[in-house]
């Protein structure tokens, strides 16, 4: 039997070690944020973006490459006609819109056929990647750019694979059926392919939240702030995630996620990696990791880039229940992908994607939520018990709560200095306040959901949940939108076999400190 | 010592957070000032617009209008007049260009081309296309050495537009130590340059590395210069790079001369499926019934894209092609399926 004092001494030592690990992970993550901030600032200063749509057109229209827009649709009866109309009206020289009706149980297909006068057509295609059976392909003489695929239900990844097979363009763009695209989104997002045509294999675009904005004819007519607090938190969260984290990872050649709501891929590379993986809830993160892995293993030079200008608008959930389901799903998706490709972790064979990007995923998404949650409970306890000094505890509090304010406010400062796409001065003041507030409650709540996601992952939960945020359907007509949130961990979303949520946005836990 | 470090983290982090919030407050104030400036500029633009239209109605008033301009109007006049220039032609266009010249916008553009941000330099280079003066040519020539490749390419394009073509060798030198591919804007530049003098391309075809050669051949495909066919055919058959061979087949198809038949025939039998597919496209585009037999065999190629392109090509060869597809459409092989699809498309057309 160990004497009680020895046992207590060991316990104190163990607590100290645990405290140092929690603290160390926090320091590491904050150092990464500072690096990301610097890299993003540099990238934004350097970027050459045409000032307006007309200039973009004159400058780029002769260089562009054809693009197939892939629009998976499940139960989109209310919104699909307007979404397709706005996509057909994009300013881009050569593109086609391929809507993939993934076995919808409502009248999604019928309204498309009626509105666009579609007829069954023969379209030759190669079964390059696998997917469930295609029942029919539709086209229209009046809308030659539109193709509609009617297939058996197989989930978002499956629907995208069908779209990849039928696409004829060298590039395809994945778009959520209820996303709103900027008129010149393709012109802006395709630029990395034009500048580095031999190297770039995928490009992610910046997603913004349309909650609170006015939408007219399928376009965001004026940007506004949501009235819902949860939506406000997410506005700040998306800004930080897209403007700082994604851009910085892209600069480091370690971007691990291109959002499923808007991403352009080289078709040949998507086929080379077998298309989108079935049976995952994070197919958008997974395909990017697969691409990194495939090209590194074959010693092929490549680039995965990110365009910071807003190209796509979506709606964020405004209720806690829906947001919780979304975040737990994202966490599961990140974990699934992480463990599926765990051999990349710290492996120099995979370049910066393995040694930096994947290590960061491990730090922020795998152990991050657990360490952060432990920190909230244990650090005050250890301090109370006298195991940790008050100075140590203060430093921990600074890293956990205060540093997040710095990063979030800086992301808004970057937006205001370099993009200035936001709102009125009064809205900037509101968002600055939200950026401070989110660190005290919202972030902790998010971390709780991530822990739940971990638990669901361990239990092997696969379903999406009946979530589905409200979608942009309510705002496709001329009404002000009303939406919401902010996240953490670079997480992916994916598809369900039966249906899929209209939102596939992922953000990074840019301020999470364990 | 350790205690001091922890306290430093605490105070340092507090300082950073406070600093960021203070900085944001400054940005909000700046935004307010910017909004006021924009409002004032919009009001001034509303005043300037009628002046410009007055000038269009009566060109003799140009000097009078220029005298009315304030120094701060220079920044507004440039974009305002340029937006109009793209919408008019003939005499009206000349008047607007003259107005820009006399109001000092050209000097402003030249200054921006030399000292602006990359985007400003790019924009300035493109807008200088309206002017053909010694100063403009000199500024654009200097911009050919700009640190930004897109600015260089834009400057070269503008020089071409005002009939001051840039030496191809000088452009190729930009990429002497370049590791990645060529930007697509460069292909467009080559396409313009090749129309000016395609013979200038020929000496470089034997000396440049594969990525540059691909871009040059892409441009050559946009000429109707049959004299380059022998050289292109040789490259298309012999070059070691798959990309170069495939691009050459594409160029041969675009040029569209049946004299390319021997090279295209060899292309149809190439080891690389990309080359076979491009050769099939070329055969269909030119219309080479002599190759029908070879194309029909490609309907059973192991690569889907080759089968598809071969079927498309056969479908473009009139009754003879349709009959070939019909003959091949029986059975359940991959080729028969593709022939049936092609026949369906023919029927649809």
């Amino acid at each position: 039997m160990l004497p009680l004092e020895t046992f207590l001494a060991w316990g104190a030592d163990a607590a100290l070690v645990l405290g140092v690990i929690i603290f160390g992970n926090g320091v590491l993550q904050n150092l990464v944020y500072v690096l990301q901030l610097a890299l993003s600032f540099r990238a934004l200063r350097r970027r050459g973006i045409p000032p307006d749509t007309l200039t973009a057109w004159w400058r780029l229209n002769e260089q562009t490459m054809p693009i197939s827009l892939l629009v998976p649709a499940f139960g989109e009866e209310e919104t699909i006609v307007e979404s397709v109309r706005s996509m057909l009206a994009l300013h881009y020289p050569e593109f086609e819109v391929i809507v993939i009706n993934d076995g919808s149980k409502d009248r999604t297909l019928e309204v498309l056929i009626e509105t666009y006068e579609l007829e069954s057509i023969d379209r030759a295609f190669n079964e390059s990647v696998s997917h469930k059976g295609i029942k029919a392909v539709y086209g229209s003489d009046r809308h030659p750019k539109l193709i509609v695929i009617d297939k058996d239900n197989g989930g978002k990844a499956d629907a995208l694979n069908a779209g990849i097979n039928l696409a004829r363009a060298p590039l395809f763009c994945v778009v959520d059926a209820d996303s709103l695209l900027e008129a010149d989104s393709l012109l802006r997002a395709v630029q990395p392919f034009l500048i580095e045509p031999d190297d770039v294999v995928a490009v992610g675009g910046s997603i913004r939240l349309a909650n609170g904005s006015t939408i007219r004819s399928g376009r965001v007519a004026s940007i506004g702030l949501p009235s819902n607090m949860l939506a406000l938190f997410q506005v700040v969260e998306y800004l930080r995630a897209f403007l700082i984290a994604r851009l910085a990872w892209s600069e480091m050649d370690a971007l691990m996620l291109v959002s499923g709501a808007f991403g352009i891929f080289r078709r040949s590379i998507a086929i080379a990696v077998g298309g989108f993986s079935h049976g995952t809830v994070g197919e958008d993160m997974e395909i990017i990791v697969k691409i990194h892995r495939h090209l590194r293993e074959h010693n092929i030079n490549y680039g995965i880039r990110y365009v910071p200008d807003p190209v796509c608008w979506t709606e964020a959930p405004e209720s806690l229940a829906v947001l919780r389901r979304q975040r737990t799903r994202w966490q599961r998706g990140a974990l699934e992908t992480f463990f599926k490709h765990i051999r990349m972790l710290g492996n120099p064979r995979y370049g910066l994607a393995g040694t930096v990007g994947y290590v960061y995923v491990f730090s922020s998404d795998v152990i991050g939520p657990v360490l952060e949650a432990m920190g909230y409970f244990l650090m005050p306890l250890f301090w109370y018990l006298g195991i940790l000094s008050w100075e140590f505890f203060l430093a921990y509090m600074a890293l956990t709560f205060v540093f997040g304010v710095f990063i979030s406010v800086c992301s808004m400062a970057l937006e205001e200095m370099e993009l200035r796409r936001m709102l009125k001065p009064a809205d900037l003041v509101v968002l600055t306040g939200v950026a401070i507030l989110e660190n005290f409650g919202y972030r902790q709540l998010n971390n709780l959901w991530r822990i739940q996601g971990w638990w669901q992952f361990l239990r092997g939960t696969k379903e999406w949940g009946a979530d589905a945020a409200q979608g942009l359907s309510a705002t496709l007509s001329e009404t002000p939108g009303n939406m919401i949130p902010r996240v953490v961990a670079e997480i992916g979303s994916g598809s369900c076999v039966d249906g899929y949520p209209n939102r596939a946005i992922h953000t990074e836990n840019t301020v999470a400190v364990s | 010592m350790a205690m001091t470090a922890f306290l430093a983290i605490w105070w340092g982090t507090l300082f950073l957070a406070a600093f960021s919030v203070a900085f944001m407050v400054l940005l909000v104030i700046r935004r307010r000032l910017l909004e006021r400036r924009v409002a004032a500029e919009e009001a001034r633009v509303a005043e300037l617009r009628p002046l410009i239209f007055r000038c269009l109605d009566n060109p003799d008033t140009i000097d009078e209008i220029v005298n009315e301009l304030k120094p701060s109007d220079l920044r507004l006049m440039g974009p305002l007049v340029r937006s109009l220039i793209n919408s008019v032609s003939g005499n009206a266009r000349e008047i607007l260009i003259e107005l820009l010249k006399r109001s000092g916008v050209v000097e402003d553009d030249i200054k921006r081309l030399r000292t602006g941000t990359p985007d400003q330099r790019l924009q300035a280079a493109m807008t200088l296309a309206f002017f053909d003066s010694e100063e403009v040519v000199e500024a654009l020539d200097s911009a050919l050495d700009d640190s930004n490749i897109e600015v260089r390419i834009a400057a070269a394009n503008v020089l071409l537009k005002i009939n001051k073509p840039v030496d191809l060798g000088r452009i190729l030198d930009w990429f002497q130590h370049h590791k990645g591919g060529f930007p697509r804007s460069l292909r467009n530049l080559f396409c313009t340059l090749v129309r000016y003098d395609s013979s200038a391309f020929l000496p470089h075809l034997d000396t440049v590395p594969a990525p540059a050669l691909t871009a040059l051949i892409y441009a050559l495909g946009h000429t109707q210069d049959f004299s380059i066919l022998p050289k292109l055919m040789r490259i298309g058959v012999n070059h070691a790079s798959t990309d170069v061979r495939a691009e050459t087949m594409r160029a041969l198809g675009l040029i569209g001369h049946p004299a390319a038949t021997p090279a295209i025939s060899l292309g149809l039998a190439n080891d690389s499926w990309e080359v076979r597919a491009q050769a099939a496209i070329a055969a269909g585009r030119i219309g080479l019934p002599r190759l029908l037999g070879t194309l029909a065999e490609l309907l059973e190629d192991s690569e889907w894209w080759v089968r598809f392109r071969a079927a498309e090509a056969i479908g473009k060869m009139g009754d003879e092609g349709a009959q070939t597809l019909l003959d091949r459409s029986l059975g359940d092989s991959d080729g028969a399926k593709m022939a049936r699809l092609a026949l369906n498309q023919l029927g649809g057309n």
Side-chain angles (χ1 to χ4, degrees):
Chain A
M1 283 287 285
L2 285 170
L4 182 62
E5 286 121 30
T6 311
F7 181 77
L8 288 175
W10 282 8
D13 286 348
L16 190 60
V17 169
L18 190 57
V20 170
I21 290 173
I22 291 169
F23 186 81
N25 195 54
V27 170
L28 179 71
Q29 288 199 20
N30 283 333
L31 287 176
V32 171
Y33 301 148
V34 172
L35 178 66
Q36 287 178 340
L37 195 59
L39 287 172
S40 302
F41 180 66
R42 190 186 66 168
L44 284 167
R45 295 297 294 177
R46 281 180 176 176
R47 87 193 200 290
I49 299 290
D52 53 60
T53 303
L54 196 60
T55 311
W57 177 268
W58 287 117
R59 200 183 280 182
L60 300 170
N61 81 83
E62 288 180 5
Q63 310 170 29
T64 55
M65 302 158 82
I67 294 180
S68 299
L69 266 88
L70 306 187
V71 189
F74 179 86
E76 304 281 354
E77 175 187 345
E78 297 295 326
T79 61
I80 194 70
V81 167
E82 199 62 35
S83 295
V84 168
R85 185 169 291 138
S86 74
M87 286 176 199
L88 288 172
L90 288 174
H91 298 170
Y92 194 78
E94 207 176 337
F95 70 98
E96 60 180 355
V97 178
I98 301 180
V99 180
I100 308 111
N101 178 44
D102 192 34
S104 296
K105 290 167 183 165
D106 62 1
R107 295 185 70 250
T108 300
L109 180 65
E110 286 75 12
V111 295
L112 282 170
I113 290 174
E114 287 161 16
T115 309
Y116 295 103
E117 299 174 29
L118 301 173
E119 291 175 3
S120 179
I121 58 167
D122 281 319
R123 181 165 164 119
F125 66 95
N126 188 21
E127 292 273 359
S128 304
V129 290
S130 68
H131 55 79
K132 294 208 171 174
I134 290 178
K135 293 189 269 193
V137 180
Y138 296 90
S140 162
D141 288 340
R142 290 191 61 189
H143 303 279
K145 285 182 176 173
L146 176 63
I147 298 287
V148 174
I149 303 171
D150 184 30
K151 65 180 280 293
D152 295 326
N153 180 254
K156 186 175 177 184
D158 194 75
L160 288 172
N161 283 349
I164 290 172
N165 280 343
L166 266 89
R168 293 269 174 88
L171 305 178
F172 69 83
C173 178
V174 176
V175 185
D176 276 354
D178 69 340
S179 291
L180 301 178
L181 300 186
E182 296 266 308
D184 58 359
S185 55
L186 293 180
L187 270 178
R188 289 178 185 274
V190 81
Q191 286 186 77
F193 287 102
L194 309 182
I195 295 166
E196 305 171 86
D198 293 349
D199 291 340
V200 173
V201 294
V203 170
S206 194
I207 317 290
R208 293 283 175 94
L209 296 185
N211 302 48
S213 299
T214 303
I215 294 161
R216 208 171 280 139
S217 304
R219 297 265 189 268
V220 173
S222 72
I223 303 169
L225 277 189
S227 53
N228 180 292
M229 198 62 198
L230 211 48
L232 277 171
F233 284 137
Q234 290 177 86
V235 169
V236 176
E237 192 173 34
Y238 274 56
L239 259 183
R240 183 181 57 239
F242 282 99
L243 207 54
I244 294 189
R246 297 278 171 90
L247 188 52
W249 288 126
S250 163
E251 287 290 292
M252 283 191 270
D253 280 332
L255 185 63
M256 306 306 286
L257 172 63
V258 165
S259 168
F262 185 96
I264 303 182
F265 295 81
R266 194 174 287 282
R267 184 175 176 273
S268 56
I269 191 65
I271 290 172
V273 299
F276 289 88
S277 297
H278 295 84
T280 170
V281 291
E283 83 289 329
D284 45 5
M285 179 180 181
E286 208 269 339
I287 194 169
I288 293 297
V289 174
K290 272 201 297 192
I291 289 172
H292 276 299
R293 192 170 164 180
H294 173 84
L295 294 173
R296 287 282 176 184
E297 286 173 355
H298 290 82
N299 292 319
I300 297 169
N301 285 333
Y302 69 100
I304 297 175
R305 302 281 178 254
Y306 169 75
V307 176
D309 291 64
V311 292
C312 176
W313 296 80
T314 190
E315 188 186 22
E318 293 191 342
S319 81
L320 282 173
V322 176
L323 188 59
R324 182 183 70 81
R325 279 194 291 272
Q326 182 192 59
R327 299 305 160 91
T328 53
R329 188 176 63 245
W330 288 2
Q331 180 66 24
R332 292 202 317 268
L335 294 174
E336 271 181 18
T337 301
F338 177 80
F339 287 108
K340 187 171 177 184
H341 301 279
I342 196 167
R343 64 179 301 170
M344 285 179 68
L345 180 62
N347 191 335
R349 182 182 184 191
Y350 300 101
L352 289 171
T355 54
V356 177
Y358 225 67
V359 170
Y360 181 76
V361 171
F362 174 71
S363 165
S364 71
D365 295 344
V366 180
I367 60 168
V370 181
L371 289 179
E372 184 171 346
M374 288 168 74
Y376 290 139
F377 293 102
L378 295 180
M379 298 299 256
L381 180 68
F382 292 165
W383 167 66
Y384 181 75
L385 295 174
I387 297 169
L388 300 177
S389 67
W390 65 273
E391 290 94 340
F392 189 100
F393 183 61
L394 268 187
Y396 164 77
M397 295 289 280
L399 291 180
T400 305
F401 294 97
V402 187
F403 202 85
V405 173
F406 169 66
I407 294 294
S408 295
V409 175
C410 281
S411 65
M412 275 188 301
L414 270 189
E415 145 75 35
E416 175 60 15
M417 287 163 63
E418 299 298 331
L419 299 176
R420 211 172 298 133
R421 287 295 303 271
M422 275 209 324
L423 327 166
K424 302 182 283 286
D427 293 334
L428 288 174
V429 174
V430 171
L431 283 184
T432 305
V434 173
I436 297 169
L437 278 181
E438 64 157 354
N439 290 281
F440 306 95
Y442 177 72
R443 196 175 116 208
Q444 288 70 28
L445 189 60
N446 244 306
N447 197 67
L448 175 68
W449 292 333
R450 298 174 72 200
I451 296 285
Q452 288 180 343
W454 240 117
W455 177 243
Q456 291 172 0
F457 171 74
L458 291 174
R459 290 178 57 206
T461 305
K462 287 287 181 192
E463 80 275 8
W464 275 86
D467 101 56
Q470 55 253 55
L472 283 167
S473 50
T475 55
L476 279 170
S477 56
E478 188 175 343
T479 54
N482 61 330
M483 311 174 301
I484 343 154
R486 127 141 197 202
V487 191
V488 217
E490 177 138 16
I491 308 179
S493 77
S495 64
C496 61
V497 169
D498 202 23
Y500 27 89
N502 4 28
R503 218 121 292 97
I505 309 297
H506 318 289
T507 52
E508 283 90 326
N509 186 355
T510 49
V511 292
V513 177
S514 303
Chain B
M1 190 68 188
M3 296 306 110
T4 311
F6 290 135
L7 281 179
I9 290 175
W10 166 251
W11 288 113
T13 308
L14 278 184
F15 170 77
L16 285 176
F19 175 79
S20 63
V21 172
F23 186 61
M24 198 64 213
V25 170
L26 287 179
L27 286 176
V28 171
I29 295 168
R30 174 175 168 257
R31 168 71 87 90
R32 290 286 300 178
L33 296 174
L34 279 175
E35 281 186 349
R36 281 188 195 175
R37 198 177 82 186
V38 168
E41 284 180 354
E42 280 172 0
R44 183 59 183 157
V45 164
E47 290 169 6
L48 289 174
R49 200 171 283 124
L51 293 183
I52 293 168
F53 284 112
R54 198 173 85 204
C55 173
L56 281 173
D57 289 338
N58 183 4
D60 295 335
T61 61
I62 289 185
D63 283 331
E64 190 185 317
I65 290 165
V66 167
N67 288 336
E68 285 183 40
L69 295 178
K70 303 172 194 165
S72 58
D73 290 337
L74 202 61
R75 202 176 53 244
L76 307 176
M77 278 292 283
L80 184 59
V81 178
R82 274 186 222 113
S83 66
L84 286 172
I85 284 180
N86 284 324
S87 317
V88 296
S89 60
N91 195 36
R93 191 181 171 93
E94 294 305 318
I95 293 169
L96 291 175
I97 290 173
E98 191 58 32
L99 179 61
L100 281 178
K101 279 182 187 168
R102 292 210 213 163
S103 56
V105 170
V106 183
E107 286 76 15
D108 191 48
D109 278 341
I110 289 175
K111 191 176 159 194
R112 279 192 302 135
L113 180 61
R114 290 190 170 130
T115 59
T117 63
D119 216 51
Q120 286 172 336
R121 298 203 300 274
L122 184 60
Q123 192 61 34
M126 292 173 88
T127 51
L128 283 173
F130 298 121
F131 315 105
D132 178 8
S133 69
E134 214 169 285
E135 295 78 28
V136 167
V137 172
E138 194 186 323
L140 289 168
D141 196 68
S142 301
L144 293 175
D145 297 321
D146 194 283
S147 59
N148 183 299
I149 183 65
E150 293 297 330
V151 176
R152 276 183 257 164
I153 292 171
N157 263 316
V158 173
L159 282 169
L160 260 170
K161 273 186 192 165
I162 55 178
N163 283 323
K164 301 281 187 302
V166 183
D167 177 52
L168 179 63
R170 187 173 178 187
I171 297 172
L172 290 169
D173 281 346
W174 295 344
F175 297 93
Q176 219 168 23
H177 306 292
H178 186 73
K179 291 229 180 334
F182 276 40
R184 284 179 68 85
S185 51
L186 193 72
R187 291 179 161 218
N188 287 35
L189 173 62
F190 285 166
C191 284
T192 317
L193 201 57
V194 82
R195 286 185 203 117
Y196 196 86
D197 181 14
S198 60
S199 65
F201 279 55
L202 296 182
H204 298 285
L205 296 182
D206 296 322
T207 57
V208 295
L213 186 55
T214 310
L216 293 180
I217 291 170
Y218 172 85
L220 285 169
H222 290 76
T223 65
Q224 295 300 314
D225 182 0
F226 302 144
S227 69
I228 61 173
L229 274 179
K231 194 146 195 166
L232 277 188
M233 288 163 66
R234 205 163 49 245
I235 293 170
V237 172
N238 297 325
H239 202 278
S241 159
T242 299
D243 287 346
V244 170
R245 293 200 305 277
E247 190 62 58
T248 310
M249 290 299 151
R250 187 176 167 281
L252 291 173
L254 284 174
I255 292 170
H257 198 289
T261 306
I264 292 172
S265 175
L266 288 169
L268 292 173
N270 199 281
D271 288 342
S272 157
W273 71 264
E274 290 95 335
V275 181
R276 293 200 299 278
Q278 284 297 344
I281 295 171
R285 187 171 276 149
I286 303 173
L288 300 173
R290 276 170 58 193
L291 299 181
L292 259 179
T294 316
L295 287 167
E297 284 168 25
L298 288 183
L299 286 173
E300 300 293 348
D301 196 280
S302 58
E303 175 61 38
W304 185 89
W305 278 105
V306 179
R307 298 200 296 274
F308 176 64
R309 296 303 185 191
E312 267 191 340
I314 295 169
K316 287 180 179 172
M317 293 191 193
D319 292 344
E320 209 178 340
Q323 186 58 50
T324 305
L325 287 174
L326 201 58
D327 295 343
R328 293 277 177 163
S329 65
L330 305 173
D332 202 31
S333 67
D334 287 339
K337 287 178 195 163
M338 192 57 81
R340 285 199 291 274
L341 265 173
L343 278 171
N344 281 344
Q345 289 200 355
L346 276 182
N349 294 333

